[in-house]
Amino acid sequence: SWLQDDVAVVTGAGSGLGRAVVERFAEEGARVVAFDKSEDKLRLLKESLGDAVETVAGDVRSAADNDRACARAVEAFGRLDVFVGNAGLWDFNRSLPDTPADELASGFDELFAVNVKGYLLGAKAALPALRASRGSLVLTLSNAAFYPGGGGPLYVASKHAGVGLVKQLAYELAPEIRVNGVAPGGMDTDLRGPAALGLADVAIGTAVPIDELMARGSALRIAPRPQDYVGAYVLLAARAQSRTVTGTVVDVSSFGTLPRHQG
Ligand code: NAD
């Protein structure tokens, strides 16, 4: 067990990739605070995982809610070893020409508040406990952190900004805290978009034939499940496996090997 007795906070833990990370971390011996805005999803997760999990309902855009999640880890489990920033919104490929200027402005504010500010506030909240444990941050990025076409300009810029957070925070927080990212490709999840773009109630899998696009268009010709991406989180979180690793993003999307970006 690579994470035996470690304690994690995972944001956006209620479904999709975040939930898969929580389940895998628990299998690896960790105890986890699952932080999500959806109380319904958190209830289902708690029913399934029991004592390995504490849940905190809140919004990653709030410093106070991030503080509550990290405080819960210390109160309930005595420490914090890894903070996984993962909650995100997608823009459903809304392009610059096709988006009215007022929606670009309000959509930017909402999407960046979750995808970028949320990670920054999470890192800030986790800082004292991670310093004490010599722990690490792992941020969920995307193929859109490196390549165009995995979203519109709002999403792609937000995930590129995530690379900047990984590099700058790794630089500022060394040598106590390691900071890394994981860049998954497409998967069928409950991923939503900004309400400002009218995308709060639509999930990626219902709007885009994501499994088909991945099976046909990704280098390895598979339609990944969230579980397929979580190994990199375990590797980066496990001190004994990644002592020398900071400031890097593991690209698990396979998109870099395509002659031309697809999907
Ligand atoms: P998901 O919607 O299933 O999971 C995200 C969770 O975050 C949801 O449970 C949601 O309730 C929660 N959340 C959203 N906004 C929140 C907020 N303000 N405060 C607290 N919780 C909030 O989607 P997913 O696909 O598992 O997304 C997880 C991460 O993976 C995101 O960062 C996303 O950008 C990234 N990603 C997804 C894909 C894909 O194709 N699905 C591809 C690459 C990267």
Side-chain angles (χ1 to χ4, degrees):
S1 302
W2 279 10
L3 303 176
Q4 195 61 48
D5 301 325
D6 281 349
V7 176
V9 169
V10 178
T11 78
S15 66
L17 186 55
R19 182 171 167 140
V21 169
V22 174
E23 289 170 340
R24 179 66 190 280
F25 275 23
E27 273 172 37
E28 294 288 341
R31 288 162 298 166
V32 186
V33 172
F35 176 18
D36 201 286
K37 67 174 187 186
S38 165
E39 293 186 15
D40 289 342
K41 289 179 181 178
L42 290 175
R43 194 174 321 112
L44 292 171
L45 184 62
K46 179 73 186 167
E47 277 170 24
S48 146
L49 287 186
D51 289 345
V53 166
E54 288 277 323
T55 63
V56 171
D59 192 321
V60 296
R61 295 172 291 185
S62 151
D65 288 359
N66 278 287
D67 284 344
R68 268 198 305 123
C70 294
R72 180 70 68 81
V74 175
E75 283 156 24
F77 302 132
R79 54 190 290 125
L80 178 62
D81 299 285
V82 54
F83 183 96
V84 179
N86 169 78
L89 298 177
W90 192 45
D91 63 7
F92 290 75
N93 294 324
R94 286 290 178 85
S95 70
L96 183 79
D98 290 342
T99 311
D102 60 330
E103 289 189 20
L104 277 175
S106 55
F108 175 95
D109 288 347
E110 189 176 347
L111 189 140
F112 267 69
V114 177
N115 293 13
V116 184
K117 186 168 78 179
Y119 286 1
L120 204 50
L121 294 176
K124 182 71 177 167
L127 189 57
L130 291 182
R131 276 217 169 104
S133 70
R134 297 220 150 210
S136 77
L137 288 155
V138 184
L139 304 180
T140 295
L141 302 181
S142 167
N143 52 282
F146 302 110
Y147 315 111
L154 299 183
Y155 185 74
V156 173
S158 78
K159 291 299 180 180
H160 275 64
V163 179
L165 285 181
V166 167
K167 290 182 184 174
Q168 180 63 21
L169 297 181
Y171 165 75
E172 288 185 8
L173 304 181
E176 289 94 357
I177 301 171
R178 297 181 301 108
V179 185
N180 295 292
V182 177
M187 65 195 132
D188 188 355
T189 65
D190 195 29
L191 187 60
R192 306 291 179 94
L197 300 181
L199 297 170
D201 297 320
V202 47
I204 186 170
T206 57
V208 178
I210 188 82
D211 278 351
E212 199 185 309
L213 286 172
M214 291 298 294
R216 195 159 36 82
S218 66
L220 298 175
R221 302 285 189 270
I222 52 171
R225 308 268 74 86
Q227 292 77 5
D228 292 318
Y229 291 122
V230 300
Y233 292 81
V234 175
L235 180 71
L236 292 170
R239 283 186 192 81
Q241 307 299 332
S242 295
R243 270 187 82 197
T244 64
V245 184
T246 195
T248 197
V249 181
V250 179
D251 181 356
V252 294
S253 75
S254 87
F255 282 35
T257 57
L258 291 173
R260 234 165 18 120
H261 174 70
Q262 300 169 43

